Amino acid sequence: MGLQGFERRLEHLVEGVFARVFKSGLRPIELGRRLVREMDSGRSIGVRGRPLAPNAFTIHLNQADYDKFAEIGDALTRELCDAAREHGHDEGYSFMGPISVELVVDPKVHAGEFRIVARMKEGPGGAGAGSLLLPNNDRYILGDSIVVLGRLPDCDITLNDTNVSRRHAEIRPVGDRFYLVDLGSTNGSKVNGTRVSERELLDGDELGFGSIKLVFQAS
């Protein structure tokens, strides 16, 4: 599913820059296919009995290929992270920290070729893997700091809804897990439609604050 979604999204990106850059030579889908193979081959069993997969990927490229990819580097690495995240979800993988992809130049790699170094990497301060998918499809990566959600502009995530309190709720890291904690808000916080005061977050949980919905993803 991850790669299929990756390919579908690339189809919408082949206009303009993508079409100009990838008429020939190394193509993004080749990177995506190899990346998920590295996830599969590098998986092990975690302490809780779940498959634990690599989450940090460094893609080594020839200078010419790196220069070609650099024009769309941010969009490409974002799509590769999403493909890895979706594949991990489909396979039931867990991760030690957020998924990341970095492109680097390697003089030992020939043009048209690449290699991927995959490793397991803890989140900041030993925090586990976690992110929030925002309504505009941006992704907020969770780390070892408390994240405050509310209507005030100085909140870490500002929620522009009159039904949201000024400081409405927090996401708190506890070990390698994350918890949603309501801060006594007027209209409450919900997880999957149920009002909660405190709840451990699981992959795919929908968080509700007023009319605003966020999705927690454990990767």
Side-chain angles (χ1 to χ4, degrees):
M1 183 66 176
L3 272 179
Q4 292 174 355
F6 179 61
E7 292 187 61
R8 283 196 300 270
R9 289 192 295 270
L10 283 182
E11 289 176 1
H12 296 291
L13 291 172
V14 294
E15 304 295 332
V17 171
F18 270 67
R20 187 168 66 252
V21 172
F22 298 114
K23 287 182 179 178
S24 61
L26 190 59
R27 301 180 65 82
I29 190 58
E30 297 176 55
L31 304 182
R33 288 173 178 148
R34 177 79 65 80
L35 188 147
V36 298
R37 287 204 300 271
E38 293 292 336
M39 290 178 70
D40 292 340
S41 64
R43 70 184 184 276
S44 62
I45 300 298
V47 293
R48 295 182 189 146
R50 288 188 61 193
L52 184 67
N55 61 293
F57 304 92
T58 304
I59 302 177
H60 294 246
L61 299 166
N62 177 269
Q63 181 71 64
D65 289 320
Y66 177 86
D67 292 342
K68 183 174 66 172
F69 280 107
E71 190 173 355
I72 45 81
D74 289 343
L76 177 59
T77 53
R78 185 168 56 249
E79 291 295 338
L80 287 167
C81 285
D82 285 345
R85 192 174 291 111
E86 291 174 12
H87 181 71
H89 182 271
D90 291 344
E91 297 297 321
Y93 293 159
S94 58
F95 303 97
M96 294 179 65
I99 291 175
S100 64
V101 175
E102 181 184 16
L103 306 180
V104 300
V105 175
D106 188 336
K108 297 179 181 178
V109 175
H110 298 294
E113 300 177 356
F114 66 96
R115 69 185 184 93
I116 296 181
V117 176
R119 65 191 189 283
M120 298 179 188
K121 182 179 179 181
E122 283 190 338
S131 63
L132 295 176
L133 189 62
L134 307 182
N136 63 358
N137 287 325
D138 283 348
R139 187 174 300 278
Y140 189 99
I141 302 299
L142 302 172
D144 61 345
S145 299
I146 292 174
V147 175
V148 180
L149 305 95
R151 206 172 67 247
L152 288 177
D154 62 352
C155 289
D156 299 295
I157 299 178
T158 301
L159 305 173
N160 292 313
D161 185 319
T162 55
N163 291 313
V164 172
S165 297
R166 291 181 298 171
R167 293 174 64 86
H168 194 104
E170 293 178 344
I171 306 291
R172 297 179 183 173
V174 180
D176 61 353
R177 304 182 184 189
F178 295 94
Y179 287 77
L180 170 66
V181 179
D182 186 80
L183 297 178
S185 65
T186 302
N187 294 305
S189 302
K190 294 182 178 180
V191 175
N192 301 324
T194 300
R195 187 163 175 164
V196 301
S197 57
E198 181 174 340
R199 173 73 63 84
E200 179 186 351
L201 297 177
L202 304 177
D203 187 48
D205 278 348
E206 182 184 79
L207 284 55
F209 311 99
S211 63
I212 297 175
K213 309 295 184 186
L214 310 179
V215 177
F216 173 78
Q217 294 183 328
S219 56

